[in-house]
Amino acid sequence: MGAQMGKNGGNLLELASTQGTLHIVMLGLDSAGKTTVLYRLKFDQYLNTVPTIGFNCEKVRGVGKAKGVSFLVWDVGGQEKLRPLWRSYTRCTDGIVFVVDSVDTERIEEAKMELMRTAKCPENIGVPVLVLANKQDLPGALDPKEIEKLLGLHELTFAAPVVSSSNCTGASSSTSSTQLSQAAAAAAAAQQQQQSSPSGMPLKMYHVQSSCAVTGEGLNEGLEVLYEMITKKRKLSKNSKKKR
C-alpha cells in the first residue's frame, strides 16, 4: 500500500475539497498506526499493512452524527524523510487527523513538534484537529488526558504565537522578514477570528480520542467529533462573512 504523489497532487486536493466530500489528512509519526486506522474505517476490519511510502487515499462513509457524509482521507507516510511533504497535503484540507502511538512515550515530544509545526502553519490556522490516541489496548499506553497535556494541545484553543512561514516545511528561504511578519500577523488575526465563538470566548478546535485501530474502538466516535468541529467552524466563518 502507498502511492507516490505526482506534480499535480496539490490540484487533486483542491479538486476533492470542492466536490461535496470532506477532505481529511491523516498524519503522525511512522508506526503510529495510520494505515491500519484508514482501512479499519474503510472496511470495518483489521488489515495487515506495510509502512506507507507516499500516501494512501480512501473514501470513508461517516456513521452516527456524520451519517451520510463522505470523508476523503489521505493517509500520508510518517517517516522523517516524508514529513516535508505533509504541507502539500494539508493545503485546503477540512480537518487533520493526527495519530499517536500511546505506548511510544520516547517519541511523544517528537510527535508534539511535528503536530505543532503542521497545525501552526499559517494556512492551517483554525483547521480542526482530531488526535487519535492509538494502541490503547496495549500495556503501558498513556491516558488520552496525559497525551493531551504532553502534546500541548491547549495551544490550539486560542490565538497562540504563530510559527512563521519560514519555519513551516517547504517555505521559501528568500522570503523577506517583512513578509514573514505580515504573514504571521494575518495568520494570528485569522486564528482569533476562526477560533473564537460569537461571544468572544476561545473555541476549542481539537479533540483527543482514545482508540485502537486493531479493534476499531473509538475511530468512528472520533470521526463524528471531527465532523462536528468542521461544521462549527464553517458556521462561524459563514456568520463572520455576513457581519462584514
Side-chain angles (χ1 to χ4, degrees):
M1 296 177 184
Q4 293 295 336
M5 184 176 184
K7 293 181 180 178
N8 297 321
N11 293 333
L12 279 175
L13 303 189
E14 293 171 10
L15 179 63
S17 64
T18 61
Q19 296 183 334
T21 297
L22 293 180
H23 170 251
I24 305 298
V25 179
M26 185 153 57
L27 307 172
L29 304 185
D30 48 296
S31 301
K34 299 182 295 300
T35 305
T36 305
V37 168
L38 176 64
Y39 288 102
R40 166 57 77 172
L41 285 170
K42 173 69 176 179
F43 300 112
D44 194 25
Q45 60 179 304
Y46 170 72
L47 295 181
N48 190 26
T49 63
V50 298
T52 300
I53 306 300
F55 69 89
N56 300 297
C57 183
E58 297 288 349
K59 182 173 284 189
V60 173
R61 298 290 182 181
V63 299
K65 295 178 181 179
K67 186 176 181 180
V69 178
S70 293
F71 299 88
L72 190 64
V73 184
W74 299 74
D75 156 38
V76 189
Q79 294 96 327
E80 188 172 0
K81 63 181 180 180
L82 297 177
R83 294 173 202 167
L85 299 176
W86 287 5
R87 191 178 180 188
S88 297
Y89 290 88
T90 56
R91 187 183 304 122
C92 301
T93 194
D94 293 302
I96 295 172
V97 175
F98 196 87
V99 184
V100 176
D101 183 339
S102 303
V103 183
D104 193 0
T105 56
E106 293 184 359
R107 293 209 295 168
I108 195 73
E109 184 62 29
E110 183 181 357
K112 175 184 177 180
M113 180 183 70
E114 297 295 351
L115 173 57
M116 290 302 165
R117 177 180 295 167
T118 298
K120 290 185 178 182
C121 274
E123 63 259 37
N124 294 335
I125 296 295
V127 173
V129 176
L130 168 65
V131 174
L132 290 178
N134 195 27
K135 305 184 183 181
Q136 286 291 309
D137 58 317
L138 298 180
L142 291 172
D143 182 82
K145 287 291 184 182
E146 183 67 13
I147 289 177
E148 178 178 351
K149 179 180 178 181
L150 292 173
L151 291 179
L153 291 175
H154 64 279
E155 295 181 28
L156 304 182
T157 306
F158 54 89
V162 179
V163 177
S164 69
S165 57
S166 62
N167 291 330
C168 294
T169 304
S172 171
S173 59
S174 62
T175 305
S176 70
S177 58
T178 301
Q179 289 174 315
L180 293 178
S181 298
Q182 292 174 340
Q191 184 185 37
Q192 183 67 56
Q193 178 182 353
Q194 293 176 345
Q195 293 190 239
S196 295
S197 64
S199 62
M201 296 298 290
L203 180 64
K204 181 178 174 181
M205 274 298 180
Y206 71 85
H207 175 72
V208 183
Q209 177 67 48
S210 173
S211 64
C212 174
V214 175
T215 64
E217 182 181 355
L219 301 185
N220 284 316
E221 291 84 349
L223 209 56
E224 285 183 59
V225 176
L226 181 61
Y227 169 68
E228 290 181 312
M229 288 192 291
I230 292 171
T231 301
K232 183 180 295 183
K233 180 193 171 186
R234 287 185 170 183
K235 287 181 179 179
L236 288 175
S237 297
K238 185 177 180 180
N239 291 337
S240 177
K241 289 180 181 179
K242 287 182 177 180
K243 293 178 181 179
R244 293 179 183 176

